[in-house]
Amino acid sequence: MEDTLRTCYEALGFTQAPFSITPDTGLFYPGSRHVAAYKQLYHACTTGVIAVLSGEIGLGKTLVVRCVLRSLPETVRVAYLINPLMDLPDLLRSIGRDFGGPALPNNAPLSVLHNHLVETVLEGARDGARFVVIVDEAHRLSGDSLEALRLLSNLETERSKLIGLVLVGQPELERTLALRAMRPLRERVGVWLKLGPLSRDECAAYVRHRIKRTHRDGGFEFTGMALWWLQWQTRGVPRRINLACERAVLLAFAMSTRRVTASMMRQACREFSEAWA
């Protein structure tokens, strides 16, 4: 299937897949909300501020985080957790390993894991390093894990915080942080961000941006009505936009054209109508 897609794209003039749903930082769309999220997360990662980024599935949260990771200076050591469904010892062990700490046995008690992690951070700070923990799918974290992360983020010198914390998740994360038990963490959050869907104009700009970045000569287009239908059917969710556009591009290949019309877009979106209902 992958080889077939590559053949189709090459025949239509694309140098790479224009609408892949994988978080390709090279195709980052510089829309106002995504750029603002990028800048504020970068600030949080380099200053020790606690930040929360929330949004529904498919809005581009992970892509924003990946862009931040690519641009951080070498002095920032990152523990990037993409699987928060781990128990507390494994969580601390994973963070310590990413921070460059020593490997510890699986049966090491929590106190030992925590102390070694603190020692790793203090030693790195003496050499000018900063640290940040970024948790994707953070709405899946347990209350104990969130509390442990809060305690870690308390580590500081007289001048600055030593460990930043970025929590990225679906709207359930906001509801979790609104609980009374989460008040100590919630009151320390310095950056609250929420991604939303793309407007009609943003959707059109998003599609054109991806074509511009991946097509040899820009000689591929979506008609105005195709873009209108696309935004209406996908509700402006980037992941849905990518899925629908990929199908539409394949239809264009089958019809030997470099132009996606409204009827082709309707057909492409029809495949996902039940999933998006």
Side-chain angles (χ1 to χ4, degrees):
M1 178 63 177
E2 186 175 336
D3 291 339
T4 301
L5 287 174
R6 187 181 300 111
T7 300
C8 294
Y9 291 138
E10 290 176 352
L12 292 171
F14 290 100
T15 58
Q16 69 178 90
F19 299 106
S20 171
I21 63 172
T22 56
D24 185 344
T25 56
L27 297 180
F28 178 71
Y29 166 64
S32 58
R33 278 172 290 189
H34 287 76
V35 169
Y38 163 80
K39 290 180 177 179
Q40 293 192 62
L41 288 188
Y42 182 93
H43 169 74
C45 289
T46 53
T47 60
V49 172
I50 296 180
V52 174
L53 172 63
S54 64
E56 292 288 354
I57 297 171
L59 290 177
K61 302 183 296 297
T62 298
L63 181 54
V64 172
V65 170
R66 295 280 179 87
C67 288
V68 172
L69 289 173
R70 282 193 60 181
S71 59
L72 287 175
E74 293 183 358
T75 53
V76 178
R77 301 185 192 176
V78 181
Y80 182 33
L81 307 179
I82 59 176
N83 176 27
L85 292 177
M86 60 179 75
D87 59 26
L88 188 50
D90 285 341
L91 182 74
L92 295 179
R93 192 177 291 106
S94 178
I95 294 172
R97 182 171 58 250
D98 288 349
F99 282 173
L104 297 175
N106 291 335
N107 60 352
L110 278 174
S111 58
V112 172
L113 293 172
H114 184 272
N115 290 339
H116 272 272
L117 182 50
V118 170
E119 290 173 5
T120 298
V121 171
L122 291 176
E123 182 179 348
R126 286 192 287 271
D127 295 330
R130 283 188 173 275
F131 299 83
V132 61
V133 178
I134 302 177
V135 186
D136 212 339
E137 300 291 316
H139 55 280
R140 298 180 179 272
L141 283 170
S142 67
D144 287 344
S145 294
L146 283 168
E147 177 61 9
L149 291 173
R150 181 188 72 83
L151 293 174
L152 281 177
S153 70
N154 284 338
L155 196 59
E156 60 189 1
T157 66
E158 292 181 355
R159 295 184 176 182
S160 64
K161 292 287 184 182
L162 296 181
I163 302 181
L165 176 61
V166 176
L167 301 175
V168 183
Q170 296 171 27
E172 292 90 331
L173 176 61
E174 299 175 40
R175 293 193 283 272
T176 297
L177 294 176
L179 297 174
R180 183 175 180 83
M182 291 293 107
R183 182 179 175 184
L185 174 58
R186 183 174 66 250
E187 292 189 349
R188 294 232 9 246
V189 175
V191 175
W192 288 92
L193 302 165
K194 186 171 184 177
L195 288 182
L198 303 180
S199 67
R200 184 159 292 127
D201 288 343
E202 289 172 329
C203 178
Y206 175 90
V207 171
R208 291 171 181 141
H209 169 77
R210 288 213 161 208
I211 292 174
K212 182 178 180 180
R213 296 300 296 267
T214 60
H215 200 275
R216 283 195 293 270
D217 57 22
F220 191 96
E221 67 170 334
F222 287 66
T223 67
M225 283 304 298
L227 292 170
W228 182 93
W229 190 268
L230 173 66
Q231 197 277 339
W232 183 62
Q233 287 290 301
T234 63
R235 300 295 187 268
V237 177
R239 183 178 298 171
R240 295 179 179 181
I241 292 171
N242 288 343
L243 288 169
C245 285
E246 182 176 77
R247 294 297 188 276
V249 170
L250 294 179
L251 285 172
F253 173 77
M255 298 178 183
S256 301
T257 180
R258 294 190 175 190
R259 189 167 184 261
V260 173
T261 64
S263 62
M264 295 162 66
M265 184 57 69
R266 283 198 299 270
Q267 183 177 342
C269 290
R270 194 175 300 130
E271 297 182 36
F272 306 102
S273 58
E274 292 187 7
W276 296 346

